[in-house]
C-alpha cells in the first residue's frame, strides 16, 4: 500500500481525521500527518524535510515552495475567518468586540506573525482597525502577546485549544484565533466567542502544495465537493 507524508497547519487537526477517513474509503493509501504552524512547516520543507503534501493556512507559503521548485502545483482548498474568544466575566452590555479589543487594561493574545498565518491574518485585522481608527490598530500591535505558533511559544497541551488553554490559565483575557474553533469554544461557560464584522473581517485562504507526485490523489480529494462539505461542517468556508 502506498504511503504519503503530509505536513499540515495546526488548525486542520480536528477535521483532518474525518477528511482522511473519507479519502481512504476510496483510495488504498496510508497517510502520515504532522501538524504545526504553517510558517515553520514551510521552513522545514525548504530545508529538505520529506513531505509529499503541504496543507497550509495561507496561500503564500505554498506559493513560496512552488516558486523555489519545492512544489509541483498549488491550489486553494478552503477558507477560514478570525474571531475573538473573551473571558465571559469581562463581557458587559455596553462592550462590543472593538471596545474590548482596544481596552488597554485587557491582555490580548495572538499567534506569531510569519511563523503562524493566524498571526499574519491578525496583523491584517490590526491594519484594518488602524485605517478606521487611527492609533488603535498600531497600539494593538504593540500590546499583543504573541503566545502561539512561534518557535519559542509555550506548548499547548495535546487535546487543548489554544484559546481556552490560554484564557482559562489566565495567560490572557482575549485571544484572536480561527473561527473554525468557535462551536467548541461556545460550549465553555467561562468563555464568550465574538464574531468580527465586515469591514474588519479577514479571509484566511488555505492552500495545498503538492511536493511529490504521489500526493496527487489526496490533493484531488481535498478539492472535491465531499471534502468541502466535511470542512464546512467543521467551521471552515468553501
Amino acid at each position: 500500500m502506498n504511503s504519503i507524508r503530509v505536513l499540515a497547519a495546526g488548525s486542520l487537526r480536528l477535521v483532518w481525521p474525518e477528511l482522511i477517513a473519507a479519502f481512504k474509503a476510496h483510495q488504498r493509501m496510508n497517510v502520515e500527518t504532522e501538524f504545526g504552524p504553517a510558517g515553520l512547516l514551510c521552513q522545514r520543507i525548504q530545508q529538505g524535510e520529506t513531505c509529499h503534501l503541504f496543507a497550509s493556512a495561507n496561500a503564500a507559503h505554498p506559493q513560496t515552495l512552488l516558486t523555489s521548485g519545492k512544489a509541483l502545483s498549488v491550489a486553494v482548498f478552503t477558507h477560514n475567518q478570525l474571531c475573538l474568544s473573551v473571558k465571559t466575566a469581562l463581557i458587559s452590555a455596553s462592550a462590543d468586540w472593538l471596545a474590548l479589543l482596544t481596552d488597554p487594561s485587557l491582555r490580548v493574545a495572538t499567534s506569531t506573525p510569519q511563523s503562524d498565518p493566524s498571526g499574519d491574518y491578525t496583523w491584517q485585522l490590526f491594519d484594518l482597525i488602524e485605517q478606521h481608527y487611527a492609533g488603535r490598530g498600531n497600539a494593538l500591535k504593540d500590546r499583543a502577546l504573541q503566545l502561539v505558533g512561534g518557535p519559542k511559544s509555550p506548548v499547548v497541551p495535546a487535546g487543548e485549544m489554544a484559546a481556552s488553554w490560554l484564557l482559562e490559565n489566565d495567560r490572557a483575557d482575549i485571544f484572536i484565533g480561527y473561527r473554525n474553533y468557535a462551536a467548541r469554544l461556545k460550549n465553555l461557560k467561562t468563555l464568550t466567542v465574538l464574531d468580527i464584522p465586515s469591514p474588519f473581517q479577514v479571509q484566511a485562504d488555505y492552500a495545498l502544495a503538492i511536493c511529490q507526485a504521489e500526493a496527487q490523489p489526496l490533493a484531488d480529494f481535498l478539492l472535491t465537493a465531499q471534502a468541502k462539505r466535511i470542512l464546512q461542517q467543521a467551521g471552515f468556508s468553501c
Side-chain angles (χ1 to χ4, degrees), residues 5 20 40 57 86 96-97 108 114 126 137 154 166 171 184 192 195-196 203 213-214 227 231:
R5 186 164 190 264
I20 296 305
L40 299 183
V86 186
D96 65 5
W97 73 276
V108 178
Q114 299 184 3
F126 293 162
L166 290 170
R171 291 174 177 247
R184 289 178 179 242
T192 297
D195 287 331
I196 299 170
Q203 177 171 281
E214 292 91 333
L231 286 159

Side-chain angles (χ1 to χ4, degrees), residues 1-4 23-24 27-31 214-215 217-218:
M1 184 180 296
N2 293 334
S3 181
I4 60 173
F23 168 68
K24 292 176 71 172
Q27 293 279 346
R28 289 183 57 81
M29 185 175 287
N30 287 325
V31 180
E214 292 91 333
L218 178 56

Side-chain angles (χ1 to χ4, degrees), residues 130-213:
E130 182 67 20
Q131 291 174 21
H132 288 80
Y133 302 98
R136 296 190 186 184
N138 289 338
L140 278 164
K141 290 181 181 180
D142 292 337
R143 287 173 47 218
L145 304 172
Q146 300 174 32
L147 299 182
V148 177
K152 297 182 179 180
S153 297
V155 177
V156 178
E160 294 274 5
M161 293 177 288
S164 56
W165 183 70
L166 290 170
L167 272 57
E168 291 182 339
N169 286 280
D170 199 34
R171 291 174 177 247
D173 301 304
I174 299 172
F175 181 72
I176 305 174
Y178 288 127
R179 198 175 186 280
N180 67 290
Y181 293 107
R184 289 178 179 242
L185 290 168
K186 287 177 180 178
N187 291 326
L188 303 175
K189 294 181 179 180
T190 56
L191 303 183
T192 297
V193 177
L194 300 178
D195 287 331
I196 299 170
S198 178
F200 299 96
Q201 186 56 260
V202 177
Q203 177 171 281
D205 296 326
Y206 282 53
L208 58 85
I210 300 174
C211 300
Q212 296 187 34

Side-chain angles (χ1 to χ4, degrees), residues 15-27 29 31 218 221 226 230:
V15 70
W16 199 251
E18 186 174 358
L19 286 169
I20 296 305
F23 168 68
K24 292 176 71 172
H26 304 286
Q27 293 279 346
M29 185 175 287
V31 180
L218 178 56
F221 171 76
Q226 181 183 10
I230 293 171

